[in-house]
Amino acid sequence: MMFLRSVVGKLWFTIILLVSFVLFILTIMLLEFFDNYYINQTEKGLTNTTQKIARILDEHEKDIGLEIAWELVDDVTKIVVIHNENEFSYSPNENQAFKLPLSYLRQDKDLQKVFTENKTVQKMSSISESGIDEDHNSKILIIGVPLKDTENMDDAVFIYQSLTVMQETTRTTTKFIFLAAGVAIILTTIFAFFLSTRITAPLRKMREAAFEVAKGKFDTKILLSSSDEIGELAIAFNQMGKQLKFNMNALSQEKEQLASILSGMADGVITFNKDGTILITNPPAERFLQNWHYEKVDGEIDAGAVPSKVMELYQQAVDTEKEQVGEISIQGRFWVMIVSPLYNNEYIRGAVAVIRDMTEERKLDKLRQDFIANVSHELRTPISMMQGYSEAIVDDIAGTDEEKKEMARVIYDESLRMGRLVNELLDLARMEAGHIQLTIEDVEINPYLEKITRKFLGLAKEKGIHLECKIDEAERYFRFDPDRMEQVLINLIDNALRHTPNAGNVTVIERCDTRGLFIEVTDTGTGIPEEDLPFVFERFYKADKARTRGRSGTGLGLAIVKHIVTAHKGQISVQSKLGQGTTFSIFIPRKFE
């Protein structure tokens, strides 16, 4: 079956079928031709012989005529001469196996015409050894001629001959034709295989080359020197491979260019199919989806799932065929989404969503709005107090020296607070301008952190807070600026104590590995609201906005902390849940100088 399904098998089968059909038709026609030709020739010969015998009998005496007539026929031809109803003569042939009965000659309606109509008749009958058998295959040819020069109307000459010889000749001819057909089929098979091989050999080369091209080897070429259609096909195949390689390279370059553009974009891009499934995403879009997955802690989420707001905008864009704009807030960050439909000629084939992180812009807008208000708010209270106490002193409201000293001390404390605010603003401005100077030293970590923690033990004890320092003993020394890092830790521990209620816990955790130094300040305090998390390291941020005096600070401490850690080429992050506590994590790499 596999052979017949191949090109060689199909060509061979087609040629053999065609040749066999032609030989079959030719055999039938030749056999029919030989059969008719032999019968016609036999009929003509027997008719002439019969007529010649009739003339001889008419011209000569009976015995002499019969003697001459018997000499005119061979052993396979028999003659019956009927003189009258009772007198007849059979030719003395050596083969006397069968004599045609006179009753058949006189009673056959066709042969009777010799006697009744006095004319020559011809008839072909089937015979057997027992007599006339119309259904038998062995046939005889009977020719009857009347004798004209007699007074008796019953005188006639009949000559008959068996057609067995003709049938033997036909069978011999048939065998020869079949033998010739077999030889022709064998020769045709050899020719068909030769022709098929000449045709299919280049086709097999093309098939192998096509498989190589399918594997990505577009440089594959077919080397054929023929100038026929197969050669032209090989040339076209080589040109196709060359053009396909060019097109694939062009597509690859466009794909790489598109991937580079998408990877280099600051905005997230998500391409949707017509059914809403994600086709393409870039790194910003993947970070957006990761943040959304992190926020959905109530169960497993399909990797291809997107926020419902995005799907709403996608559906609106597909339904209205117009661009849709929306906003979403995830993990304290603000995202603006622009969803536009994609067209395939006249039909919508999907949509593309551009997701832009607008958190920094919102922060800058908020900072611009809050900066003047925060500075004014921080300066208004000390200025008002200094102004009020100064007026009291000028107006001699204070009656005693002790009251005047108390008012002067308040004015002094407020002036120090104003100076501290201005100095912190100046320090922050210098840090943001890149003018911060670090004094790097090898610091012994254990006593360094214990010294900083001991400064807050009194305050922690006063508030009933458990302050603990957990140090990894694996590393004794680390290089950083001890003064600046002390400023960082003091600020973080002070914030943790101020926002942790009584009987709470504040823990300082330190560990080192091959990457660098990790320090965490963890508390069990009130926590930071999610909407305030993006702003904790900005100027004038305060977790408790209702408190403006006392130990609430200026709101610049965490901004300074971030710049000091950044100057060490490190990172600082915050994690917080409202009502459960806050953790500030600091990482300082080993080699940052």
Side-chain angles (χ1 to χ4, degrees), residues 487-520:
Q487 185 179 359
V488 170
L489 295 174
I490 287 175
N491 196 300
L492 294 179
I493 297 173
D494 182 66
N495 285 343
L497 292 173
R498 283 192 286 111
H499 295 92
T500 300
N502 294 339
N505 295 312
V506 175
T507 306
V508 180
I509 304 173
E510 176 272 334
R511 61 184 177 87
C512 283
D513 59 16
T514 56
R515 293 176 295 169
L517 174 65
F518 294 86
I519 300 177
E520 292 183 356

Side-chain angles (χ1 to χ4, degrees), residues 242-254:
K242 182 178 179 180
Q243 187 65 33
L244 186 61
K245 179 181 179 181
F246 174 79
N247 293 336
M248 291 299 294
N249 289 335
L251 289 175
S252 179
Q253 291 177 0
E254 291 181 3

Side-chain angles (χ1 to χ4, degrees), residues 10-26:
K10 291 178 181 178
L11 287 174
W12 172 80
F13 182 76
T14 302
I15 295 174
I16 291 299
L17 184 63
L18 179 61
V19 172
S20 300
F21 178 76
V22 172
L23 290 177
F24 176 75
I25 298 297
L26 181 61

Side-chain angles (χ1 to χ4, degrees), residues 51 53-61 146-150:
Q51 292 175 350
I53 292 173
R55 287 196 302 271
I56 291 173
L57 292 176
D58 290 338
E59 295 175 356
H60 296 80
E61 293 182 359
L147 295 177
K148 298 179 180 180
D149 294 339
T150 61

